[in-house]
C-alpha cells in the first residue's frame, strides 16, 4: 500500500513538473523560413517582450525589444504570455511597375499574444519567408475601447558588436529650402561602426547593415497609409537602433507625432531582409508582398520615359517656346512624356497650356505637370500652389487636368512623416486615380509599399537626386558613390524617381563651362538601368541630339522602364554595383564604379551564356564606346569599369 502511494505521488509530481515545464516553454516561440535558414525566436523575459534572429545558425539580431505605448495602455513592461499560434501564407501576384513583374510569396507565420497588467491584449505577428521577415503589432478591442493613439514604439534592433552600418541621417524638421525638410535627401555614411551613428534626428529607412562575416541585413517598413505615421531609425543608443516616430516639429509643429487608430487595428509592417550575400538585399520584394491594393485603377496607366527642361535649363525655360522645344526633343527620342515644371501657370497660363498639351499630343507625347503640395506647412512659393492640399481645390483642379488631357502630376515639397502628411499623400493619390492621373512625389518621404497599394503611384524622389548635381559640387563629387549604394539601399525597397541621365558635359544650358559633370556617358546610361522607376524623366537637352553619338541616343530610344526580373550580379555598397534587369527576352546588365581607380571584374552571366552582346563602356581616357562581342558558353565575362565610369550590356 505504501509503495503504491509513493508510486502514485511520483507519477503526479512528474506530470505536474511536465505541465509547469510546458507552461514555461510556451512563453517562447519560434518561426522558421520555408527553406529552414532564417529563424526568429520570440519570448517574454521578466515581463519584457524580446526577439532575436539567426540565419544559418549565425546571429543577425541579438535579444531585441518589442512593444508599444498607447494612451490606453503600456505594452512595454509587465507583460504576460497568453498564447501563440502558427500558420502559413502563400500568394502569387503580378506587379508591372516594380523590379519584378511576377511575385510568388510563401512564408511561415507566428502570432504571439501578450497581456499587460490591465489585462489588455496585444499580438505580434511575424511572417518569415526565405530571406525576409515582416512583423507588425495587432491591437484588439479592449472592452468598450474602440480607438487609441499609439504614442511610442519600443521595437529595436540589437546587432552583434562587429556590425557596420550604411545609413542616411534624417533631415532636421523645418530646415533646408523654404523650411521643407525632412524630405529624405541627406547623404550616406558607408561601412562605419554602429557607435558613430549619433545623429539627434535619427536615420531614414531603409538602413543597411553588414554583420561581420555572418551576412547582411536591410531594415525598412511597408504598408504605411493614411492610417498611420511613417517611422525611422533612432540614433544608436545602449547597443540598439529603435523605431522612432516623427519629430513633433515636422509640419511647423502641427499634428500628432504618433498614430491615431481604430480598434481592432494594426501597425505598418517592420521588415528585415537577411542574406549571407547581397543578392537577397537587391532582389527582395518584401515591401510589396505583405500589402494589398487599396483601390482599383480607374484605367490602365502607361509608363515610360520623358524629357524635362527645368533640370538643366531651369526656371527661365518655363515658357511656351522652350516647352515646345522639349516636346520636340521627346518626340525625336520616341519618349512618351514631357514634364513641365514650376511656374507653368504663371509663365504659360492655363489657356496656353491647353494648346501646348494639344501640340504635344500631335507629336505623340503626353504631359506631366508640376504642382506645389503646400498651402500651410512650409514657406515654398512656387506655383501652382494651394491646389493640392484641400479636397475641394484638388478635385476642381483635377477636373480641369483631365479635361485638358494631362496624364500625370509631379507634386513637390512635402515635409515629414506625420499621419497628417500620410493622409495628404493618400488623398492626392486617391483623388488623382478618380481623374485618371498618375502621381510622382518629389521632395517627399520614402514610398512604403505604395507601388502595390496605390495603382496610379509611379515614383517618389526621397534621395539626393539629379537637381543637386546642378546645385552643388558635393553632389557632383559623390555621384558615383551614391549610385553604388542605391541598388542595395534606397532603390531596393521602393521605386526611385531620380531624374537622371545627364549627357551635357557642363550641367547648364550653355554646356560650355561651370558645373562640370565628373561621370562618363557610359555611367549615365548605366544609371538608366540601375535606377528603377516606372516613369523615368531624363535630363537630356536639345543639343544632345547633335552632340551625343547616335548609338547612345538609340540606347535610350529603346530602353524600357518596367522590368520582369532583377538579378544581383556583383558589387559592394559605396564601391561598385552591377545589376541585371530583364524586360521580356531582353537583358540589361549595368554597372558603375565609385572607386578612385579602374576596377576589373569577372562577371558570371548565365542568362547570356554563348550570346552576342552589345557593350557600352569607357576606355582608359573615359571616352564612351560601343562594341559587339560574344560571351563564353560558360557565361563568364571579364570587364573593366573606369573610375566614375559605368557600363551596360544588352543582348
Amino acid at each position: 500500500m505504501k509503495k503504491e502511494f509513493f508510486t502514485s505521488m511520483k507519477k503526479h509530481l512528474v506530470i505536474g513538473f511536465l505541465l509547469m515545464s510546458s507552461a514555461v516553454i510556451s512563453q517562447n516561440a519560434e518561426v522558421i523560413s520555408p527553406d529552414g535558414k532564417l529563424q526568429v525566436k520570440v519570448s517574454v523575459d521578466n515581463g519584457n517582450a524580446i526577439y532575436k534572429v539567426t540565419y544559418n545558425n549565425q546571429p543577425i539580431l541579438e535579444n531585441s525589444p518589442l512593444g508599444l505605448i498607447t494612451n490606453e495602455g503600456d505594452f512595454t513592461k509587465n507583460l504576460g504570455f497568453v498564447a501563440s499560434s502558427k500558420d502559413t501564407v502563400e500568394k502569387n501576384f503580378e506587379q508591372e511597375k516594380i523590379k519584378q513583374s511576377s511575385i510568388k510569396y510563401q512564408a511561415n507565420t507566428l502570432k504571439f499574444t501578450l497581456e499587460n497588467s490591465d489585462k489588455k491584449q496585444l499580438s505580434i505577428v511575424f511572417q518569415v519567408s526565405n530571406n525576409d521577415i515582416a512583423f507588425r503589432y495587432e491591437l484588439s478591442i479592449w472592452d468598450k475601447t474602440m480607438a487609441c493613439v499609439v504614442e511610442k514604439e519600443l521595437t529595436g534592433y540589437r546587432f552583434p558588436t562587429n556590425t557596420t552600418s550604411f545609413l542616411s541621417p534624417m533631415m532636421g524638421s523645418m530646415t533646408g529650402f523654404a523650411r521643407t525638410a525632412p524630405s529624405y535627401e541627406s547623404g550616406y555614411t558607408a561601412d562605419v561602426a554602429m557607435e558613430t551613428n549619433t545623429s539627434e534626428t535619427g536615420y531614414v529607412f531603409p538602413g543597411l547593415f553588414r554583420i561581420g562575416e555572418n551576412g547582411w541585413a536591410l531594415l525598412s517598413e511597408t504598408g504605411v497609409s493614411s492610417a498611420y505615421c511613417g517611422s525611422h531609425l533612432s540614433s544608436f543608443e545602449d547597443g540598439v537602433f529603435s523605431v522612432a516616430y516623427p519629430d513633433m516639429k515636422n509640419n511647423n509643429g502641427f499634428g500628432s507625432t504618433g498614430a491615431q487608430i481604430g480598434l481592432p487595428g494594426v501597425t505598418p509592417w517592420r521588415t528585415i531582409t537577411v542574406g549571407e550575400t547581397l543578392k537577397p538585399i537587391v532582389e527582395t520584394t518584401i515591401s510589396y508582398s505583405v500589402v494589398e491594393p487599396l483601390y482599383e485603377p480607374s484605367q490602365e496607366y502607361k509608363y515610360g520615359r520623358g524629357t524635362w527642361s527645368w533640370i538643366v535649363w531651369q526656371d527661365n525655360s518655363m515658357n511656351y517656346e522652350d516647352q515646345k522645344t522639349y516636346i520636340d526633343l521627346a518626340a525625336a527620342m520616341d519618349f512618351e512624356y514631357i514634364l513641365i515644371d514650376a511656374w507653368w501657370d504663371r509663365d504659360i497660363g492655363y489657356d496656353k497650356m491647353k494648346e501646348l498639351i494639344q501640340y504635344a499630343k500631335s507629336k505623340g507625347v503626353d504631359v506631366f505637370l508640376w504642382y506645389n503640395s503646400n498651402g500651410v506647412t512650409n514657406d515654398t512659393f512656387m506655383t501652382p500652389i494651394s491646389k493640392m492640399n484641400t479636397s475641394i481645390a484638388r478635385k476642381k483642379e483635377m477636373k480641369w487636368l483631365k479635361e485638358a488631357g494631362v496624364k500625370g502630376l509631379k507634386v513637390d515639397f512635402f515635409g515629414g512623416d506625420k499621419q497628417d502628411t500620410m493622409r495628404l499623400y493618400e488623398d492626392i493619390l486617391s483623388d488623382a486615380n478618380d481623374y485618371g492621373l498618375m502621381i510622382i512625389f518629389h521632395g517627399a518621404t520614402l514610398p512604403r509599399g505604395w507601388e502595390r497599394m496605390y495603382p496610379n503611384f509611379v515614383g517618389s524622389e526621397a534621395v539626393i537626386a539629379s537637381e543637386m548635381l546642378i546645385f552643388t559640387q558635393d553632389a557632383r563629387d559623390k555621384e558615383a558613390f551614391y549610385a553604388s549604394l542605391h541598388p542595395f539601399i534606397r532603390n531596393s525597397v521602393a521605386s526611385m524617381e531620380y531624374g537622371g541621365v545627364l549627357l551635357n558635359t557642363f550641367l547648364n544650358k550653355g554646356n560650355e563651362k561651370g558645373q562640370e559633370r565628373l561621370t562618363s556617358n557610359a555611367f549615365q546610361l548605366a544609371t538608366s538601368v540601375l535606377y528603377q522607376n516606372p516613369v523615368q524623366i531624363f535630363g537630356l537637352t536639345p543639343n544632345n541630339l547633335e552632340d551625343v553619338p547616335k548609338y547612345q541616343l538609340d540606347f535610350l530610344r529603346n530602353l524600357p522602364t518596367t522590368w520582369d526580373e532583377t538579378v544581383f550580379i556583383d558589387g559592394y555598397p559605396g564601391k561598385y554595383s552591377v545589376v541585371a534587369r530583364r524586360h521580356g527576352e531582353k537583358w540589361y546588365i549595368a554597372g558603375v564604379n565609385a572607386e578612385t581607380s579602374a576596377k576589373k571584374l569577372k562577371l558570371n552571366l548565365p542568362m547570356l551564356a554563348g550570346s552576342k552582346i552589345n557593350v557600352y563602356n569607357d576606355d582608359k581616357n573615359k571616352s564612351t564606346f560601343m562594341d559587339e562581342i560574344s560571351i563564353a558558353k560558360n557565361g563568364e565575362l571579364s570587364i573593366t569599369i573606369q573610375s566614375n565610369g559605368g557600363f551596360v550590356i544588352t543582348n
Side-chain angles (χ1 to χ4, degrees):
M1 190 72 177
K2 189 182 290 186
K3 183 178 180 181
E4 292 174 1
F5 173 78
F6 282 114
T7 301
S8 176
M9 285 293 293
K10 184 177 180 181
K11 182 178 178 181
H12 282 90
L13 285 169
V14 169
I15 292 171
F17 176 76
L18 289 173
L19 287 171
M20 286 190 296
S21 298
S22 176
V24 172
I25 292 170
S26 69
Q27 294 191 45
N28 303 277
E30 67 177 27
V31 56
I32 302 174
S33 61
D35 65 6
K37 295 181 179 180
L38 182 58
Q39 181 186 59
V40 179
K41 290 187 176 181
V42 192
S43 60
V44 178
D45 181 27
N46 292 321
N48 301 312
I50 57 175
Y51 74 112
K52 63 180 180 180
V53 176
T54 59
Y55 188 79
N56 276 341
N57 297 316
Q58 298 300 311
I60 301 298
L61 288 178
E62 297 171 349
N63 284 341
S64 300
L66 295 165
L68 298 175
I69 297 176
T70 78
N71 66 338
E72 295 291 340
D74 188 338
F75 295 90
T76 64
K77 59 188 177 183
N78 301 320
L79 299 174
F81 172 80
V82 175
S84 67
S85 60
K86 295 183 179 182
D87 205 343
T88 60
V89 61
E90 185 172 351
K91 64 179 177 179
N92 302 326
F93 60 94
E94 303 295 315
Q95 196 69 51
E96 183 183 9
K97 57 182 175 177
I98 61 173
K99 67 176 78 171
Q100 185 173 321
S101 62
S102 182
I103 310 296
K104 294 182 179 180
Y105 177 68
Q106 182 181 4
N108 294 325
T109 72
L110 169 68
K111 185 173 184 178
F112 195 78
T113 302
L114 304 166
E115 188 175 72
N116 69 5
S117 55
D118 296 325
K119 302 300 180 183
K120 294 178 179 178
Q121 292 187 3
L122 171 79
S123 296
I124 311 168
V125 175
F126 289 84
Q127 293 189 180
V128 181
S129 54
N130 298 341
N131 300 107
D132 289 299
I133 300 164
F135 66 98
R136 71 181 182 185
Y137 299 91
E138 298 189 353
L139 296 80
S140 57
I141 296 172
W142 302 316
D143 192 20
K144 296 180 180 179
T145 302
M146 299 288 292
C148 76
V149 174
V150 182
E151 298 172 341
K152 185 177 180 179
E153 188 167 330
L154 202 66
T155 303
Y157 309 92
R158 187 185 301 275
F159 290 100
T161 55
N162 62 340
T163 299
T164 56
S165 64
F166 302 74
L167 297 174
S168 176
M170 176 66 76
M171 301 169 74
S173 296
M174 303 302 290
T175 62
F177 173 74
R179 299 197 299 164
T180 55
S183 51
Y184 288 57
E185 296 176 49
S186 292
Y188 283 85
T189 55
D191 225 1
V192 300
M194 291 188 294
E195 55 267 23
T196 65
N197 294 298
T198 56
S199 169
E200 291 183 1
T201 53
Y203 299 87
V204 303
F205 281 129
L208 180 65
F209 298 84
R210 183 184 179 187
I211 303 94
E213 299 302 314
N214 293 351
W216 298 81
L218 183 70
L219 306 182
S220 195
E221 68 173 349
T222 191
V224 179
S225 68
S226 62
Y228 218 84
C229 61
S231 65
H232 59 278
L233 289 174
S234 70
S235 62
F236 187 67
E237 187 174 348
D238 297 328
V240 176
F241 290 97
S242 299
V243 169
Y245 288 170
D247 178 12
M248 189 60 201
K249 294 190 291 292
N250 281 189
N251 289 359
N252 213 12
F254 182 81
S256 171
T257 184
Q260 181 184 44
I261 62 173
L263 300 178
V266 299
T267 69
W269 293 97
R270 312 295 169 218
T271 64
I272 310 170
T273 300
V274 178
E276 286 183 330
T277 71
L278 287 158
K279 182 178 175 67
I281 304 298
V282 171
E283 298 177 15
T284 182
T285 56
I286 191 62
S287 297
Y288 319 111
S289 296
V290 294
V291 300
E292 297 294 338
L294 297 184
Y295 52 77
E296 293 295 320
S298 62
Q299 63 181 60
E300 183 177 349
Y301 292 106
K302 181 180 75 173
Y303 313 120
R305 304 142 301 164
T307 58
W308 178 28
S309 72
W310 182 87
I311 186 61
V312 175
W313 285 16
Q314 294 285 294
D315 288 349
N316 289 337
S317 69
M318 213 47 54
N319 61 76
Y320 191 90
E321 291 305 319
D322 279 352
Q323 294 312 304
K324 280 186 66 177
T325 299
Y326 267 80
I327 290 168
D328 293 341
L329 173 61
M333 290 299 298
D334 297 325
F335 288 177
E336 293 80 4
Y337 295 107
I338 179 175
L339 166 63
I340 302 177
D341 217 280
W343 302 118
W344 64 263
D345 61 322
R346 184 192 69 180
D347 296 341
I348 298 173
Y350 280 78
D351 290 340
K352 292 291 285 183
M353 179 55 71
K354 281 187 175 181
E355 291 182 24
L356 197 58
I357 292 166
Q358 289 305 308
Y359 177 78
K361 189 175 181 179
S362 74
K363 295 286 186 174
V365 176
D366 283 316
V367 174
F368 272 70
L369 290 181
W370 182 96
Y371 277 83
N372 189 339
S373 74
N374 182 43
V376 295
T377 59
N378 57 54
D379 300 329
T380 53
F381 49 87
M382 287 77 95
T383 63
I385 193 171
S386 298
K387 303 286 190 179
M388 290 291 129
N389 64 308
T390 67
S391 178
I392 292 172
R394 187 166 55 242
K395 289 178 179 179
K396 180 181 178 182
E397 191 75 3
M398 288 180 176
K399 182 176 183 290
W400 178 87
L401 289 162
K402 182 178 181 179
E403 291 170 350
V406 174
K407 299 301 181 182
L409 309 182
K410 180 178 181 179
V411 188
D412 203 345
F413 298 133
F414 300 83
D417 290 331
K418 286 182 177 178
Q419 189 173 7
D420 282 351
T421 309
M422 297 300 158
R423 287 188 183 119
L424 179 58
Y425 284 119
E426 184 171 284
D427 288 347
I428 291 171
L429 285 162
S430 179
D431 285 349
N433 182 62
D434 291 342
Y435 292 92
L437 298 167
M438 291 178 283
I439 296 293
I440 294 170
F441 290 125
H442 196 76
T445 192
L446 176 76
R448 294 158 164 92
W450 294 358
E451 294 86 342
R452 180 155 171 76
M453 294 162 65
Y454 307 107
N456 56 325
F457 171 76
V458 291
S460 188
E461 185 188 28
V463 68
I464 293 180
S466 58
E467 63 192 40
M468 299 310 294
L469 298 174
I470 310 297
F471 297 148
T472 73
Q473 185 63 47
D474 183 68
R476 293 191 288 275
D477 291 340
K478 296 176 180 175
E479 183 183 8
F481 170 68
Y482 293 142
S484 73
L485 290 170
H486 293 325
F488 306 106
I489 309 175
R490 167 64 182 85
N491 212 186
S492 175
V493 302
S495 299
M496 187 175 78
E497 192 272 315
Y498 185 84
V501 186
L502 294 150
L503 296 179
N504 274 11
T505 302
F506 301 95
L507 302 181
N508 50 58
K509 186 173 182 178
N511 194 26
E512 292 180 353
K513 61 181 179 179
Q515 300 152 292
E516 183 176 6
R517 173 165 55 90
L518 303 180
T519 55
S520 70
N521 278 20
F523 175 99
Q524 294 296 318
L525 298 181
T527 62
S528 71
V529 176
L530 210 60
Y531 300 163
Q532 178 268 319
N533 202 71
V535 175
Q536 295 262 31
I537 307 296
F538 292 137
L540 302 184
T541 53
N543 55 280
N544 295 153
L545 293 173
E546 305 298 330
D547 58 25
V548 171
K550 183 177 182 298
Y551 72 88
Q552 295 179 29
L553 298 179
D554 286 344
F555 172 85
L556 294 171
R557 286 187 175 104
N558 295 301
L559 179 72
T561 62
T562 58
W563 305 104
D564 295 305
E565 189 176 355
T566 294
V567 179
F568 168 70
I569 302 297
D570 198 1
Y572 192 94
K575 296 182 179 181
Y576 70 105
S577 58
V578 183
V579 172
R581 301 194 195 272
R582 178 178 62 83
H583 179 87
E585 299 299 317
K586 192 173 183 69
W587 282 95
Y588 291 76
I589 293 91
V592 296
N593 178 17
E595 297 189 280
T596 56
S597 59
K599 193 166 194 69
K600 295 181 179 180
L601 300 175
K602 180 176 283 189
L603 305 179
N604 183 22
L605 305 174
M607 69 285 286
L608 296 178
S611 299
K612 285 187 177 180
I613 59 168
N614 290 323
V615 179
Y616 304 78
N617 202 358
D618 303 312
D619 62 24
K620 61 183 179 180
N621 297 317
K622 297 184 181 180
S623 178
T624 298
F625 66 89
M626 183 184 73
D627 197 9
E628 184 178 297
I629 63 173
S630 294
I631 290 190
K633 291 183 178 180
N634 64 2
E636 289 187 355
L637 175 70
S638 295
I639 196 165
T640 298
I641 323 178
Q642 301 300 324
S643 174
N644 272 1
F647 74 87
V648 184
I649 295 168
T650 65
N651 61 345

mmCIF file of all heavy atoms in Angstrom, residues 599-615:
data_model
loop_
_atom_site.group_PDB
_atom_site.id
_atom_site.type_symbol
_atom_site.label_atom_id
_atom_site.label_comp_id
_atom_site.label_asym_id
_atom_site.label_seq_id
_atom_site.Cartn_x
_atom_site.Cartn_y
_atom_site.Cartn_z
ATOM 1 N N LYS A 599 38.384 49.283 -62.144
ATOM 2 C CA LYS A 599 38.092 48.026 -61.465
ATOM 3 C C LYS A 599 37.875 46.932 -62.501
ATOM 4 O O LYS A 599 37.030 47.065 -63.400
ATOM 5 C CB LYS A 599 36.855 48.167 -60.584
ATOM 6 C CG LYS A 599 36.669 47.015 -59.620
ATOM 7 C CD LYS A 599 35.656 47.357 -58.547
ATOM 8 C CE LYS A 599 35.733 46.354 -57.405
ATOM 9 N NZ LYS A 599 36.977 46.464 -56.619
ATOM 10 N N LYS A 600 38.643 45.851 -62.373
ATOM 11 C CA LYS A 600 38.498 44.710 -63.266
ATOM 12 C C LYS A 600 37.613 43.664 -62.602
ATOM 13 O O LYS A 600 37.858 43.268 -61.466
ATOM 14 C CB LYS A 600 39.867 44.118 -63.599
ATOM 15 C CG LYS A 600 40.765 45.061 -64.384
ATOM 16 C CD LYS A 600 42.108 44.419 -64.706
ATOM 17 C CE LYS A 600 42.990 45.372 -65.511
ATOM 18 N NZ LYS A 600 44.321 44.774 -65.840
ATOM 19 N N LEU A 601 36.599 43.236 -63.323
ATOM 20 C CA LEU A 601 35.644 42.274 -62.785
ATOM 21 C C LEU A 601 35.531 41.073 -63.701
ATOM 22 O O LEU A 601 35.646 41.197 -64.923
ATOM 23 C CB LEU A 601 34.256 42.909 -62.646
ATOM 24 C CG LEU A 601 34.112 44.130 -61.744
ATOM 25 C CD1 LEU A 601 32.693 44.683 -61.849
ATOM 26 C CD2 LEU A 601 34.443 43.782 -60.303
ATOM 27 N N LYS A 602 35.285 39.916 -63.105
ATOM 28 C CA LYS A 602 34.904 38.727 -63.861
ATOM 29 C C LYS A 602 33.461 38.433 -63.491
ATOM 30 O O LYS A 602 33.172 38.030 -62.370
ATOM 31 C CB LYS A 602 35.804 37.532 -63.546
ATOM 32 C CG LYS A 602 35.423 36.278 -64.320
ATOM 33 C CD LYS A 602 36.387 35.125 -64.061
ATOM 34 C CE LYS A 602 37.687 35.315 -64.825
ATOM 35 N NZ LYS A 602 38.553 34.098 -64.744
ATOM 36 N N LEU A 603 32.564 38.671 -64.427
ATOM 37 C CA LEU A 603 31.139 38.534 -64.175
ATOM 38 C C LEU A 603 30.639 37.167 -64.619
ATOM 39 O O LEU A 603 31.064 36.646 -65.650
ATOM 40 C CB LEU A 603 30.361 39.627 -64.913
ATOM 41 C CG LEU A 603 30.776 41.071 -64.638
ATOM 42 C CD1 LEU A 603 29.934 42.027 -65.472
ATOM 43 C CD2 LEU A 603 30.665 41.402 -63.160
ATOM 44 N N ASN A 604 29.704 36.636 -63.846
ATOM 45 C CA ASN A 604 29.039 35.390 -64.206
ATOM 46 C C ASN A 604 27.645 35.740 -64.705
ATOM 47 O O ASN A 604 26.788 36.159 -63.931
ATOM 48 C CB ASN A 604 28.974 34.460 -62.994
ATOM 49 C CG ASN A 604 28.364 33.119 -63.342
ATOM 50 O OD1 ASN A 604 28.356 32.719 -64.503
ATOM 51 N ND2 ASN A 604 27.842 32.433 -62.346
ATOM 52 N N LEU A 605 27.411 35.565 -66.003
ATOM 53 C CA LEU A 605 26.161 35.977 -66.641
ATOM 54 C C LEU A 605 25.518 34.781 -67.349
ATOM 55 O O LEU A 605 25.494 34.704 -68.583
ATOM 56 C CB LEU A 605 26.418 37.108 -67.642
ATOM 57 C CG LEU A 605 27.134 38.351 -67.099
ATOM 58 C CD1 LEU A 605 27.462 39.329 -68.214
ATOM 59 C CD2 LEU A 605 26.311 39.022 -66.012
ATOM 60 N N PRO A 606 24.995 33.844 -66.596
ATOM 61 C CA PRO A 606 24.428 32.640 -67.231
ATOM 62 C C PRO A 606 23.276 32.948 -68.169
ATOM 63 O O PRO A 606 23.028 32.197 -69.116
ATOM 64 C CB PRO A 606 23.965 31.805 -66.029
ATOM 65 C CG PRO A 606 23.813 32.772 -64.899
ATOM 66 C CD PRO A 606 24.855 33.803 -65.130
ATOM 67 N N MET A 607 22.557 34.040 -67.921
ATOM 68 C CA MET A 607 21.423 34.397 -68.788
ATOM 69 C C MET A 607 21.867 34.797 -70.194
ATOM 70 O O MET A 607 21.055 34.837 -71.121
ATOM 71 C CB MET A 607 20.611 35.532 -68.145
ATOM 72 C CG MET A 607 21.286 36.892 -68.076
ATOM 73 S SD MET A 607 22.581 37.039 -66.808
ATOM 74 C CE MET A 607 21.557 37.127 -65.336
ATOM 75 N N LEU A 608 23.169 35.094 -70.374
ATOM 76 C CA LEU A 608 23.692 35.499 -71.675
ATOM 77 C C LEU A 608 24.750 34.537 -72.197
ATOM 78 O O LEU A 608 25.465 34.864 -73.155
ATOM 79 C CB LEU A 608 24.286 36.912 -71.578
ATOM 80 C CG LEU A 608 23.305 38.040 -71.231
ATOM 81 C CD1 LEU A 608 24.038 39.366 -71.121
ATOM 82 C CD2 LEU A 608 22.196 38.136 -72.257
ATOM 83 N N ALA A 609 24.859 33.364 -71.599
ATOM 84 C CA ALA A 609 25.895 32.404 -71.985
ATOM 85 C C ALA A 609 25.817 32.094 -73.481
ATOM 86 O O ALA A 609 24.755 31.773 -74.016
ATOM 87 C CB ALA A 609 25.745 31.123 -71.177
ATOM 88 N N GLY A 610 26.947 32.261 -74.164
ATOM 89 C CA GLY A 610 27.032 31.956 -75.586
ATOM 90 C C GLY A 610 26.372 32.977 -76.497
ATOM 91 O O GLY A 610 26.266 32.747 -77.707
ATOM 92 N N SER A 611 25.954 34.122 -75.947
ATOM 93 C CA SER A 611 25.215 35.120 -76.735
ATOM 94 C C SER A 611 26.135 36.207 -77.281
ATOM 95 O O SER A 611 27.176 36.522 -76.702
ATOM 96 C CB SER A 611 24.148 35.787 -75.860
ATOM 97 O OG SER A 611 23.221 34.862 -75.388
ATOM 98 N N LYS A 612 25.696 36.797 -78.405
ATOM 99 C CA LYS A 612 26.315 38.025 -78.880
ATOM 100 C C LYS A 612 25.693 39.195 -78.125
ATOM 101 O O LYS A 612 24.473 39.245 -77.947
ATOM 102 C CB LYS A 612 26.098 38.203 -80.379
ATOM 103 C CG LYS A 612 26.961 37.295 -81.235
ATOM 104 C CD LYS A 612 26.816 37.640 -82.706
ATOM 105 C CE LYS A 612 27.752 36.780 -83.553
ATOM 106 N NZ LYS A 612 27.634 37.106 -85.007
ATOM 107 N N ILE A 613 26.515 40.111 -77.685
ATOM 108 C CA ILE A 613 26.023 41.219 -76.867
ATOM 109 C C ILE A 613 26.600 42.542 -77.346
ATOM 110 O O ILE A 613 27.641 42.586 -78.012
ATOM 111 C CB ILE A 613 26.388 41.029 -75.380
ATOM 112 C CG1 ILE A 613 27.919 40.937 -75.212
ATOM 113 C CG2 ILE A 613 25.693 39.807 -74.794
ATOM 114 C CD1 ILE A 613 28.382 41.028 -73.781
ATOM 115 N N ASN A 614 25.898 43.621 -77.005
ATOM 116 C CA ASN A 614 26.432 44.967 -77.172
ATOM 117 C C ASN A 614 26.942 45.453 -75.828
ATOM 118 O O ASN A 614 26.248 45.319 -74.806
ATOM 119 C CB ASN A 614 25.358 45.920 -77.683
ATOM 120 C CG ASN A 614 24.960 45.634 -79.117
ATOM 121 O OD1 ASN A 614 25.800 45.277 -79.943
ATOM 122 N ND2 ASN A 614 23.680 45.776 -79.421
ATOM 123 N N VAL A 615 28.137 46.005 -75.818
ATOM 124 C CA VAL A 615 28.731 46.538 -74.593
ATOM 125 C C VAL A 615 28.945 48.039 -74.765
ATOM 126 O O VAL A 615 29.585 48.481 -75.726
ATOM 127 C CB VAL A 615 30.077 45.861 -74.273
ATOM 128 C CG1 VAL A 615 30.676 46.460 -72.999
ATOM 129 C CG2 VAL A 615 29.912 44.365 -74.126
#
